Amino acid sequence: MTWWHNAVVYQIYPRSFADSDGDGVGDLPGIVSRLDYLAGLGVDVVWLSPIFTSPMEDNGYDVADYDNVDPLFGTNGDLDALIDGSHRRGMKLVLDMVLNHTSSQHPWFIDSRSKSSVKRDWYYWRPARPGFTPGTPGAEPTNWAAFFGGRAWEYDPESGEYYLHLFAPGQPDLNWDNPDVRQELFAMMRRYVDRGVDGFRFDVVNMVSKTLPLADGPAAPDGLCYDPSLVADGPRIHEFLADMNREVGISQRDLFSVGEMVMVDVEKARVYTDPGNRELGMVISFDHMGLDQDPAGLKWDLRPYRLADLKHVLAHWQDGLAGVGWNCLYLENHDQPRSVSRFGDDSPQYRVASAKTLATTLHLLGGTPFIYQGEEIGMTNAGFTDLEQYRDVESLNFAHAALGAGLPEPAVLASLGAKSRDNARTPMCWDGSASAGFSEGTPWLPVNANHGDINAASDIADPDSVYHHYRKLIALRHEVPVVTNGHFELLLGDDERIFAYTRTSDDATLLVVANWCSQPTTWPDGLPDVTNATLVLGTHPVTGNGRELAGELAAWESRVLLL
Ligand code: ISL
């Protein structure tokens, strides 16, 4: 057991959390001013999405200077104040490290543009496909599509070559096979550790080792290859991660580490998170995030998810990492829509109960739960009705390409409404005032229209709110060891209404029974006997009015019982 095994993480998307200077963009002093709120919630770790100097083509996931805070967010002194303020309240601070790529404005990349630069090899510069004239259609070195649309290669007429960008053109991929690149990045992270940072979240980190030579993959009808497995988990990935762990002192200094990994499966995750391998503490996986899209399509190709599929995916990860690695538990982050709108029922009638039940189900699984800002008050999707309201590069690229290909606008807006990353990026709702207490100025992204009802101030004031339910869940994890160390067993796996499981240790069994639908449901057969159980947490009162522990469950009701 290490300290983060019974910790709860809170993710902050700095530009949308709290704006101290009225420019409409959140900043570090804004976060400092809300540290008491986080301490009151009871979280142990705060993870900040990137705060470094950036042209903000991808809101800071395009770093131009790893050693300096972007002026939009504040100063390096503000970061020190945030580290200090977090520590004084017993919370750890974790930074987001985007190491697979830099911004095209990073001095390293600018330098690499010259063919004679020693930094040419720090990025993937490649000549045109043999037999093709550079810069003409089809001359790209490989047929890879970029994650954010279009091709993954940008032509540079100056040098007559192309550079690789798996994301936006402003995010050129760094070449980790060059040892100088790795040393430079590791030294930079050591400087942050020395300043008091408690660990890192690593962006798309299983993509830093690529299979060489870079080669075509299976093509879709449009001629492009959309298979990210070609660029993930390359031949040197374990070596690179172990080097990083050692050089930054991750295991040695007991730092927090979680790596975001596209396409990762349980078998690979076991290797990445096995403490004996000294690579990473946890991985952010995606299997449960793909259940509401057409398996043959992209995230924009919507389909309803099935509860049984979600349970089986989560159980597969619980079982697969048991006794070896450690799970990162999440339903939301800055790239995903709001969970209450996606998996719950965000109608006024069931929003609160469903947000609580999603939280109950997730937080009592084995692993470390991650809360994304606003999730703890049940914030909903943005509800945008116009393309003009969106800002996200991925969303806008998709919309323009889809409209250009003849998809009707209502269908494009439906996909964005369900899946755009901007759903999670609207400002944190602090109160019911004009800009939801987020900013004195005009917020960079519109605030949710429902902020009059859904905001932190009213949740704090209401003892039955989503916020107070989160507080209780966090406290339960801290107080009841079986929440951290219990063995997981899924119950009623194929039931389409009930999500139920046990967590068992030598001296305790916890039973979680959650009704994941907007109708009442009878207490199902096949659950353990609860005659002598104690209710440790519930979304609805169960005493009186003929209600009992094994009685009917209201819509979106969950019960947590110690047997
Ligand atoms: O957002 C996604 C789904 O729409 C993913 O494809 C996402 O791009 C992928 O999970 C990688 O995400 C990370 O790296 C990106 C950045 O835009 C994301 O915000 C970050 O979480 C590039 O740095």
Side-chain angles (χ1 to χ4, degrees), residues 103-114 117 123 125:
S103 161
S104 56
Q105 304 303 311
H106 196 294
W108 300 341
F109 183 74
I110 293 172
D111 195 341
S112 87
R113 283 182 168 278
S114 155
S117 164
Y123 295 84
W125 285 100

Side-chain angles (χ1 to χ4, degrees), residues 289-341:
M289 290 287 120
L291 299 175
D292 54 358
Q293 74 185 51
D294 180 341
L298 300 174
K299 72 183 227 180
W300 311 109
D301 302 311
L302 310 178
R303 69 150 196 197
Y305 84 99
R306 292 179 58 238
L307 178 61
D309 291 342
L310 180 66
K311 291 194 290 188
H312 285 300
V313 167
L314 292 175
H316 182 58
W317 278 81
Q318 291 285 299
D319 297 340
L321 297 190
V324 183
W326 196 255
N327 269 287
C328 157
L329 307 170
Y330 78 96
L331 290 176
E332 262 181 49
N333 61 41
H334 65 292
D335 291 335
Q336 302 294 338
R338 290 292 186 179
S339 58
V340 72
S341 301

Side-chain angles (χ1 to χ4, degrees), residues 13 58 61-62 96 98 101 147-148 167 171 201 203-204 260 262 286 299-300 333-336 393-394 419 421 425:
Y13 196 63
D58 188 18
Y61 283 89
D62 45 333
D96 206 320
V98 188
H101 43 268
F147 279 82
F148 292 161
F167 293 91
Q171 294 169 298
R201 177 263 191 191
D203 194 61
V204 292
E260 187 202 28
V262 285
F286 287 84
K299 72 183 227 180
W300 311 109
N333 61 41
H334 65 292
D335 291 335
Q336 302 294 338
V393 57
E394 182 197 46
K419 289 292 189 66
R421 308 195 295 182
R425 299 178 179 184

Side-chain angles (χ1 to χ4, degrees), residues 142-394:
T142 71
N143 63 352
W144 299 351
F147 279 82
F148 292 161
R151 290 182 174 269
W153 294 96
E154 189 76 4
Y155 181 56
D156 173 44
E158 276 299 279
S159 66
E161 292 190 336
Y162 294 80
Y163 68 85
L164 177 68
H165 61 87
L166 291 174
F167 293 91
Q171 294 169 298
D173 282 56
L174 275 168
N175 174 19
W176 276 53
D177 281 276
N178 183 315
D180 295 340
V181 170
R182 302 198 300 277
Q183 287 319 314
E184 195 75 40
L185 294 173
F186 300 161
M188 174 272 293
M189 285 188 277
R190 280 196 297 270
R191 290 193 286 278
Y192 279 111
V193 174
D194 291 344
R195 265 172 78 182
V197 163
D198 301 290
F200 304 99
R201 177 263 191 191
F202 299 103
D203 194 61
V204 292
V205 76
N206 61 332
M207 287 169 34
V208 299
S209 166
K210 297 175 175 68
T211 302
L212 300 174
L214 307 182
D216 285 347
D222 64 1
L224 299 186
C225 170
Y226 291 88
D227 180 4
S229 62
L230 276 187
V231 290
D233 311 298
R236 299 183 71 187
I237 189 67
H238 296 296
E239 173 199 342
F240 290 165
L241 293 178
D243 275 4
M244 179 168 80
N245 185 309
R246 190 188 57 252
E247 296 285 317
V248 180
I250 291 175
S251 296
Q252 204 188 341
R253 298 166 88 155
D254 218 1
L255 300 175
F256 181 95
S257 64
V258 60
E260 187 202 28
M261 296 205 169
V262 285
M263 298 290 292
V264 71
D265 60 28
V266 179
E267 289 66 37
K268 289 182 187 131
R270 273 172 83 90
V271 181
Y272 286 126
T273 64
D274 180 340
N277 295 336
R278 295 188 154 229
E279 294 183 23
L280 292 169
M282 289 173 269
V283 305
I284 296 174
S285 63
F286 287 84
D287 285 353
H288 62 311
M289 290 287 120
L291 299 175
D292 54 358
Q293 74 185 51
D294 180 341
L298 300 174
K299 72 183 227 180
W300 311 109
D301 302 311
L302 310 178
R303 69 150 196 197
Y305 84 99
R306 292 179 58 238
L307 178 61
D309 291 342
L310 180 66
K311 291 194 290 188
H312 285 300
V313 167
L314 292 175
H316 182 58
W317 278 81
Q318 291 285 299
D319 297 340
L321 297 190
V324 183
W326 196 255
N327 269 287
C328 157
L329 307 170
Y330 78 96
L331 290 176
E332 262 181 49
N333 61 41
H334 65 292
D335 291 335
Q336 302 294 338
R338 290 292 186 179
S339 58
V340 72
S341 301
R342 185 181 196 178
F343 299 111
D345 180 339
D346 65 4
S347 69
Q349 198 178 359
Y350 295 123
R351 183 188 65 85
V352 170
S354 67
K356 288 180 184 176
T357 279
L358 299 186
T360 303
T361 313
L362 185 80
H363 278 238
L364 300 177
L365 294 171
T368 297
F370 284 52
I371 301 169
Y372 176 71
Q373 65 182 47
E375 186 179 5
E376 78 282 13
I377 56 169
M379 279 180 65
T380 63
N381 276 351
F384 293 163
T385 50
D386 195 322
L387 202 50
E388 296 291 307
Q389 291 167 297
Y390 289 94
R391 296 284 174 277
D392 171 37
V393 57
E394 182 197 46

Side-chain angles (χ1 to χ4, degrees), residues 32 34-39 43 81 84-91:
V32 170
R34 297 291 181 177
L35 283 175
D36 285 336
Y37 169 82
L38 300 178
V43 297
D84 184 50
S86 304
H87 289 172
R88 278 193 284 110
R89 291 168 178 82
M91 297 183 290

